[in-house]
Amino acid sequence: MPSQHSGSWSKSESERLVAWMEENQEELRGKQITWHKLVKGQVFSNDEHITVKRITDKVTNLKRSWKEARAMQQRSGWGVKAEKNEASINDALERKCAFFWRLDEIWGSRPNVELIGGSESVASRPSQIPSEIPSQIPSEIPGPSQIPSEIPSSSSSTCRRRVDIGRKQ
């Protein structure tokens, strides 16, 4: 049942907006007013109380609450006790931004809104680690016979140093 006033968005209206954004991420890269008009025509054409201006305001508010929750996610502490589980942290993020994880999929990888710095928090989505990580260890490690016994010095230097690594004395 659509909302009869022009104030708050209903949960289902917000859900419809976010669902459209998820399905049309390429459109989000264009001018905001253009895709806001598309949302009006494609999603809310029969909802007279939802105007392009209201869509613009809602998207602005969604982005603001997502950015605040994302910044909160990047900080440690923020009021959730360490002994609480990850679900508590996710609950706190979703209280800050009802569609946090869905919006993070939409806006999280876009360079113009990506947060810089900080370490991964407990509530970060699991990263995808490749199943095989190439070895960075050289195949041959030099043995004692391959290490020079003396370090060459410049012709003007009178000091020579003996290298005794791996040699019996």
Side-chain angles (χ1 to χ4, degrees):
M1 180 167 103
S3 148
Q4 295 301 316
H5 53 37
S6 62
S8 299
W9 283 60
S10 70
K11 179 81 170 167
S12 69
E13 291 167 344
S14 296
E15 169 65 38
R16 289 164 49 203
L17 173 61
V18 172
W20 186 92
M21 291 167 62
E22 288 172 319
E23 294 168 11
N24 297 278
Q25 290 189 36
E26 283 301 314
E27 299 290 343
L28 303 180
R29 299 191 199 306
K31 291 185 177 184
Q32 280 191 355
I33 191 67
T34 303
W35 68 263
H36 293 174
K37 288 177 182 178
L38 283 173
V39 171
K40 172 61 179 164
Q42 294 175 8
V43 182
F44 300 109
S45 61
N46 296 327
D47 299 301
E48 291 180 22
H49 66 283
I50 297 183
T51 63
V52 173
K53 169 80 169 106
R54 287 198 63 220
I55 292 167
T56 300
D57 293 344
K58 182 64 175 177
V59 170
T60 300
N61 290 334
L62 284 171
K63 188 171 274 190
R64 183 182 325 114
S65 67
W66 170 76
K67 283 181 178 182
E68 289 171 0
R70 185 103 190 261
M72 186 173 82
Q73 178 195 31
Q74 300 296 319
R75 293 189 306 261
S76 63
W78 47 276
V80 176
K81 302 280 187 212
E83 63 269 5
K84 301 252 180 166
N85 61 21
E86 187 174 318
S88 297
I89 294 170
N90 289 337
D91 289 344
L93 290 170
E94 289 168 2
R95 276 192 305 276
K96 189 74 172 166
C97 177
F99 298 99
F100 177 75
W101 294 110
R102 293 171 67 186
L103 294 173
D104 201 48
E105 285 295 319
I106 295 168
W107 289 321
S109 62
R110 293 181 62 194
N112 61 333
V113 293
E114 185 73 26
L115 295 176
I116 298 172
S119 60
E120 291 291 320
S121 73
V122 174
S124 293
R125 285 167 286 158
S127 62
Q128 296 197 2
I129 299 172
S131 58
E132 289 187 29
I133 299 174
S135 174
Q136 299 298 318
I137 300 172
S139 58
E140 268 190 49
I141 299 174
S145 64
Q146 294 171 311
I147 298 174
S149 61
E150 292 187 14
I151 297 173
S153 61
S154 66
S155 60
S156 63
S157 172
T158 57
C159 178
R160 290 188 174 227
R161 213 174 87 187
R162 185 150 175 86
V163 178
D164 292 321
I165 299 173
R167 292 189 179 265
K168 291 185 180 180
Q169 294 186 9

PDB file of all heavy atoms in Angstrom, residues 46-58:
ATOM      1  N   ASN A  46       3.076   4.992 -11.422  1.00  0.00           N
ATOM      2  CA  ASN A  46       1.697   5.063 -10.901  1.00  0.00           C
ATOM      3  C   ASN A  46       1.618   5.685  -9.509  1.00  0.00           C
ATOM      4  O   ASN A  46       0.545   5.751  -8.927  1.00  0.00           O
ATOM      5  CB  ASN A  46       1.072   3.666 -10.877  1.00  0.00           C
ATOM      6  CG  ASN A  46       0.923   3.094 -12.273  1.00  0.00           C
ATOM      7  OD1 ASN A  46       0.685   3.831 -13.223  1.00  0.00           O
ATOM      8  ND2 ASN A  46       1.094   1.792 -12.398  1.00  0.00           N
ATOM      9  N   ASP A  47       2.759   6.101  -8.972  1.00  0.00           N
ATOM     10  CA  ASP A  47       2.804   6.686  -7.626  1.00  0.00           C
ATOM     11  C   ASP A  47       2.987   8.195  -7.753  1.00  0.00           C
ATOM     12  O   ASP A  47       4.114   8.682  -7.823  1.00  0.00           O
ATOM     13  CB  ASP A  47       3.959   6.071  -6.822  1.00  0.00           C
ATOM     14  CG  ASP A  47       3.811   4.569  -6.639  1.00  0.00           C
ATOM     15  OD1 ASP A  47       2.793   4.144  -6.068  1.00  0.00           O
ATOM     16  OD2 ASP A  47       4.721   3.820  -7.067  1.00  0.00           O
ATOM     17  N   GLU A  48       1.883   8.919  -7.775  1.00  0.00           N
ATOM     18  CA  GLU A  48       1.947  10.372  -7.973  1.00  0.00           C
ATOM     19  C   GLU A  48       2.697  11.085  -6.859  1.00  0.00           C
ATOM     20  O   GLU A  48       3.300  12.132  -7.087  1.00  0.00           O
ATOM     21  CB  GLU A  48       0.531  10.937  -8.108  1.00  0.00           C
ATOM     22  CG  GLU A  48      -0.153  10.514  -9.391  1.00  0.00           C
ATOM     23  CD  GLU A  48      -1.553  11.078  -9.517  1.00  0.00           C
ATOM     24  OE1 GLU A  48      -1.859  12.093  -8.857  1.00  0.00           O
ATOM     25  OE2 GLU A  48      -2.337  10.504 -10.288  1.00  0.00           O
ATOM     26  N   HIS A  49       2.653  10.526  -5.658  1.00  0.00           N
ATOM     27  CA  HIS A  49       3.313  11.177  -4.522  1.00  0.00           C
ATOM     28  C   HIS A  49       4.836  11.045  -4.573  1.00  0.00           C
ATOM     29  O   HIS A  49       5.543  11.730  -3.849  1.00  0.00           O
ATOM     30  CB  HIS A  49       2.767  10.622  -3.196  1.00  0.00           C
ATOM     31  CG  HIS A  49       3.108   9.177  -2.980  1.00  0.00           C
ATOM     32  ND1 HIS A  49       2.440   8.151  -3.626  1.00  0.00           N
ATOM     33  CD2 HIS A  49       4.044   8.599  -2.202  1.00  0.00           C
ATOM     34  CE1 HIS A  49       2.947   6.995  -3.247  1.00  0.00           C
ATOM     35  NE2 HIS A  49       3.922   7.241  -2.380  1.00  0.00           N
ATOM     36  N   ILE A  50       5.364  10.184  -5.431  1.00  0.00           N
ATOM     37  CA  ILE A  50       6.818  10.051  -5.573  1.00  0.00           C
ATOM     38  C   ILE A  50       7.224  10.776  -6.847  1.00  0.00           C
ATOM     39  O   ILE A  50       6.952  10.329  -7.951  1.00  0.00           O
ATOM     40  CB  ILE A  50       7.259   8.575  -5.596  1.00  0.00           C
ATOM     41  CG1 ILE A  50       6.911   7.923  -4.262  1.00  0.00           C
ATOM     42  CG2 ILE A  50       8.759   8.481  -5.877  1.00  0.00           C
ATOM     43  CD1 ILE A  50       7.338   6.496  -4.124  1.00  0.00           C
ATOM     44  N   THR A  51       7.896  11.891  -6.640  1.00  0.00           N
ATOM     45  CA  THR A  51       8.341  12.736  -7.749  1.00  0.00           C
ATOM     46  C   THR A  51       9.833  12.523  -7.984  1.00  0.00           C
ATOM     47  O   THR A  51      10.524  11.900  -7.165  1.00  0.00           O
ATOM     48  CB  THR A  51       8.097  14.222  -7.419  1.00  0.00           C
ATOM     49  OG1 THR A  51       8.902  14.550  -6.272  1.00  0.00           O
ATOM     50  CG2 THR A  51       6.630  14.501  -7.125  1.00  0.00           C
ATOM     51  N   VAL A  52      10.332  13.046  -9.079  1.00  0.00           N
ATOM     52  CA  VAL A  52      11.768  12.982  -9.353  1.00  0.00           C
ATOM     53  C   VAL A  52      12.534  13.676  -8.224  1.00  0.00           C
ATOM     54  O   VAL A  52      13.583  13.189  -7.777  1.00  0.00           O
ATOM     55  CB  VAL A  52      12.103  13.595 -10.733  1.00  0.00           C
ATOM     56  CG1 VAL A  52      13.599  13.687 -10.946  1.00  0.00           C
ATOM     57  CG2 VAL A  52      11.451  12.795 -11.851  1.00  0.00           C
ATOM     58  N   LYS A  53      12.014  14.761  -7.710  1.00  0.00           N
ATOM     59  CA  LYS A  53      12.649  15.486  -6.591  1.00  0.00           C
ATOM     60  C   LYS A  53      12.726  14.593  -5.355  1.00  0.00           C
ATOM     61  O   LYS A  53      13.755  14.541  -4.673  1.00  0.00           O
ATOM     62  CB  LYS A  53      11.850  16.768  -6.290  1.00  0.00           C
ATOM     63  CG  LYS A  53      12.231  17.468  -4.988  1.00  0.00           C
ATOM     64  CD  LYS A  53      13.477  18.303  -5.136  1.00  0.00           C
ATOM     65  CE  LYS A  53      13.691  19.192  -3.948  1.00  0.00           C
ATOM     66  NZ  LYS A  53      14.751  18.768  -3.069  1.00  0.00           N
ATOM     67  N   ARG A  54      11.645  13.861  -5.053  1.00  0.00           N
ATOM     68  CA  ARG A  54      11.644  12.962  -3.895  1.00  0.00           C
ATOM     69  C   ARG A  54      12.632  11.812  -4.101  1.00  0.00           C
ATOM     70  O   ARG A  54      13.285  11.378  -3.151  1.00  0.00           O
ATOM     71  CB  ARG A  54      10.246  12.423  -3.611  1.00  0.00           C
ATOM     72  CG  ARG A  54       9.347  13.507  -3.014  1.00  0.00           C
ATOM     73  CD  ARG A  54       8.123  12.962  -2.325  1.00  0.00           C
ATOM     74  NE  ARG A  54       8.503  12.145  -1.188  1.00  0.00           N
ATOM     75  CZ  ARG A  54       7.895  10.999  -0.855  1.00  0.00           C
ATOM     76  NH1 ARG A  54       6.881  10.555  -1.559  1.00  0.00           N
ATOM     77  NH2 ARG A  54       8.288  10.316   0.187  1.00  0.00           N
ATOM     78  N   ILE A  55      12.747  11.331  -5.326  1.00  0.00           N
ATOM     79  CA  ILE A  55      13.722  10.272  -5.621  1.00  0.00           C
ATOM     80  C   ILE A  55      15.137  10.806  -5.404  1.00  0.00           C
ATOM     81  O   ILE A  55      15.967  10.153  -4.774  1.00  0.00           O
ATOM     82  CB  ILE A  55      13.534   9.734  -7.066  1.00  0.00           C
ATOM     83  CG1 ILE A  55      12.197   8.991  -7.159  1.00  0.00           C
ATOM     84  CG2 ILE A  55      14.694   8.831  -7.470  1.00  0.00           C
ATOM     85  CD1 ILE A  55      11.751   8.684  -8.573  1.00  0.00           C
ATOM     86  N   THR A  56      15.389  12.024  -5.890  1.00  0.00           N
ATOM     87  CA  THR A  56      16.697  12.653  -5.693  1.00  0.00           C
ATOM     88  C   THR A  56      17.015  12.786  -4.209  1.00  0.00           C
ATOM     89  O   THR A  56      18.123  12.450  -3.767  1.00  0.00           O
ATOM     90  CB  THR A  56      16.732  14.038  -6.383  1.00  0.00           C
ATOM     91  OG1 THR A  56      16.485  13.856  -7.777  1.00  0.00           O
ATOM     92  CG2 THR A  56      18.064  14.739  -6.170  1.00  0.00           C
ATOM     93  N   ASP A  57      16.055  13.268  -3.430  1.00  0.00           N
ATOM     94  CA  ASP A  57      16.262  13.427  -1.989  1.00  0.00           C
ATOM     95  C   ASP A  57      16.495  12.078  -1.315  1.00  0.00           C
ATOM     96  O   ASP A  57      17.358  11.952  -0.440  1.00  0.00           O
ATOM     97  CB  ASP A  57      15.067  14.128  -1.338  1.00  0.00           C
ATOM     98  CG  ASP A  57      14.921  15.583  -1.781  1.00  0.00           C
ATOM     99  OD1 ASP A  57      15.896  16.137  -2.351  1.00  0.00           O
ATOM    100  OD2 ASP A  57      13.834  16.158  -1.572  1.00  0.00           O
ATOM    101  N   LYS A  58      15.742  11.055  -1.724  1.00  0.00           N
ATOM    102  CA  LYS A  58      15.887   9.729  -1.116  1.00  0.00           C
ATOM    103  C   LYS A  58      17.257   9.143  -1.419  1.00  0.00           C
ATOM    104  O   LYS A  58      17.921   8.593  -0.541  1.00  0.00           O
ATOM    105  CB  LYS A  58      14.774   8.792  -1.613  1.00  0.00           C
ATOM    106  CG  LYS A  58      14.831   7.408  -0.987  1.00  0.00           C
ATOM    107  CD  LYS A  58      14.598   7.484   0.502  1.00  0.00           C
ATOM    108  CE  LYS A  58      14.530   6.102   1.126  1.00  0.00           C
ATOM    109  NZ  LYS A  58      14.379   6.170   2.576  1.00  0.00           N
TER     110      LYS A  58
END
